[in-house]
Amino acid sequence: MTDTLGYGLEKRRQGNLEILAGRETFRDEFRRMLQSVSANGHTFEECKEVLKKNIWLDPGFKDFYAYCKEHDIPVVIISSGMAPLIRAVLSNLIGDEESAKIEIVANDAIVQPDGSWEITYRHPSSGFGHDKSQAILPYRALPHPPTTFFFGDGVSDMSAARHADVLFVKKKPGADNDLAAYCTREGIPHILFEDFHRALGVVSQVVEGRLSVQDALALGTA
């Protein structure tokens, strides 16, 4: 939204680089990004409709989701966005019934009667605003922890990068690849993937015991 409805791509990109360099927190920079959208007069409902018209499912996601359902693997959306917007987009893409089956762990929003709005963070004291590791660590603490897969693509996913068993990082040709840069800099093992068709090939092998977590990470690319 920031690129088209807010202060634009160039300033948003500079903000991401400041986050990546550790000079700004994601919480503060992302708030400024969203404030630029609201300050330009775009209501929350307008933003919802714009997102519904301009977001498409990642290639292969339906097959990936079907595989997860077949093998009783919970699919959880862990996002630094705002839950009402995410739910609206998801329902538009896969229908209300299927959307309702997917848990969304995200931030929220306060919407005023005049349509103005602002984000409310899940973890306001954290520099991430939403510390995504807090959605993963409870699974790791179970007596018999399941294998956790995490899919991310940007600076908002830095808080989760160290905590999943298998981290998939979206490779975006000609676009921002900040999470990949962060993981490479910090020495965090990860698998680059272009779409969920490719990711499913790796996930299915791990789930079915044909590939260990260590060997999966050693692939480097799905």
Side-chain angles (χ1 to χ4, degrees):
M1 293 193 301
T2 306
D3 290 0
T4 55
L5 304 181
Y7 53 44
L9 170 61
E10 184 176 350
K11 193 169 182 179
R12 192 268 302 167
R13 184 73 191 115
Q14 185 58 43
N16 281 356
L17 292 176
E18 291 294 300
I19 296 166
L20 187 61
R23 291 187 290 266
E24 285 286 354
T25 65
F26 178 83
R27 176 195 60 204
D28 295 344
E29 192 63 37
F30 190 52
R31 187 187 298 279
R32 284 190 284 269
M33 293 179 190
L34 296 180
Q35 284 173 338
S36 76
V37 176
S38 182
N40 281 349
H42 300 291
T43 67
F44 197 72
E45 285 303 312
E46 179 188 351
C47 292
K48 186 183 295 184
E49 292 305 312
V50 168
L51 292 175
K52 285 166 62 176
K53 291 176 182 177
N54 290 280
I55 293 181
W56 297 271
L57 276 179
D58 189 284
F61 179 78
K62 286 189 175 180
D63 289 341
F64 177 85
Y65 180 53
Y67 178 87
C68 290
K69 287 201 299 181
E70 181 183 348
H71 290 80
D72 198 26
I73 301 170
V75 174
V76 181
I77 295 176
I78 304 173
S79 174
S80 290
M82 292 163 283
L85 297 183
I86 298 166
R87 182 66 71 190
V89 170
L90 190 62
S91 294
N92 185 59
L93 292 172
I94 64 174
D96 291 336
E97 184 177 349
E98 286 301 319
S99 171
K101 298 175 184 177
I102 298 179
E103 181 183 0
I104 295 174
V105 181
N107 298 307
D108 209 333
I110 295 175
V111 183
Q112 303 298 338
D114 64 358
S116 62
W117 54 275
E118 63 178 313
I119 190 170
T120 57
Y121 283 117
R122 192 175 185 89
H123 304 124
S125 63
S126 166
F128 294 108
H130 177 193
D131 182 354
K132 296 182 180 181
S133 70
Q134 299 305 308
I136 299 173
L137 292 174
Y139 292 99
R140 304 295 298 269
L142 293 172
H144 303 286
T147 299
T148 54
F149 301 90
F150 186 88
F151 295 80
D153 67 355
V155 290
S156 68
D157 299 305
M158 287 161 49
S159 61
R162 299 180 187 276
H163 301 286
D165 293 300
V166 183
L167 172 65
F168 285 87
V169 176
K170 184 71 177 288
K171 182 180 180 181
K172 299 178 286 187
D176 309 350
N177 284 284
D178 296 332
L179 183 59
Y182 172 76
C183 291
T184 299
R185 185 185 76 197
E186 300 296 320
I188 300 171
H190 60 283
I191 301 171
L192 293 173
F193 79 107
E194 294 182 359
D195 58 50
F196 276 91
H197 277 305
R198 294 177 180 272
L200 178 56
V202 178
V203 170
S204 62
Q205 290 186 74
V206 174
V207 169
E208 295 164 23
R210 295 181 283 120
L211 191 68
S212 69
V213 165
Q214 292 74 22
D215 288 342
L217 289 170
L219 293 173
T221 302

